[in-house]
Amino acid sequence: MSCVVPGCRSNYRKEDENTSTYSFPTDNDTREMWFRAIPRRREDYEMNKYLKVCIHHFHDEDIESKFIYFDGNKMVEMPRKRVALKKSAIPSIFPDCSSPVSGIVRKSKKSPRSSTRG
């Protein structure tokens, strides 16, 4: 599945086939934070359950790459086969986007011109 972030080409090329993607959260508040964080207008989304954001838009601290559990007093770490996002993760890395547009009033298609006609 490809990433909805503008300019992101993850999973479009064969060499990116294994880029991990993550569905939008089902929790309404967190889902709304994802919508606001991603630099595209909300109306640009085709609202469906298949919206995905790839791992490239999350910081390392947002990603869980190990299972951690305790065996008695001993902490045991095991690598995950597939990394997961922490529940608090919000996409925040957008190298191919100039600026966020979510929540910003859209610019009109015509730029204002001063008229010199009289």
Side-chain angles (χ1 to χ4, degrees), residues 16-118:
D16 288 336
E17 281 180 15
N18 295 322
T19 299
S20 297
T21 57
Y22 300 94
S23 297
F24 274 62
T26 54
D27 171 69
N28 288 334
D29 291 338
T30 308
R31 185 179 183 87
E32 186 61 33
M33 285 193 276
W34 279 39
F35 278 123
R36 289 180 185 204
I38 296 171
R40 72 187 290 163
R41 294 185 309 263
R42 177 94 178 235
E43 60 269 18
D44 290 343
Y45 291 102
E46 180 182 326
M47 298 303 292
N48 64 53
K49 64 182 180 180
Y50 303 110
L51 292 177
K52 303 275 187 179
V53 177
C54 77
I55 197 168
H56 301 300
H57 304 291
F58 295 92
H59 290 279
D60 289 342
E61 58 266 17
D62 294 328
I63 298 166
E64 294 179 347
S65 58
K66 302 176 203 169
F67 286 111
I68 300 173
Y69 67 94
F70 288 89
D71 184 9
N73 290 333
K74 183 180 176 185
M75 183 174 79
V76 180
E77 295 182 8
M78 292 178 47
R80 291 177 178 260
K81 289 183 181 179
R82 184 180 191 280
V83 296
L85 291 179
K86 294 180 180 176
K87 292 200 182 291
S88 61
I90 306 292
S92 57
I93 301 172
F94 309 109
D96 296 325
C97 298
S98 57
S99 65
V101 292
S102 297
I104 295 175
V105 177
R106 281 189 278 165
K107 296 177 182 174
S108 64
K109 292 181 181 180
K110 296 179 181 177
S111 58
R113 296 187 291 183
S114 60
S115 177
T116 56
R117 289 184 285 180

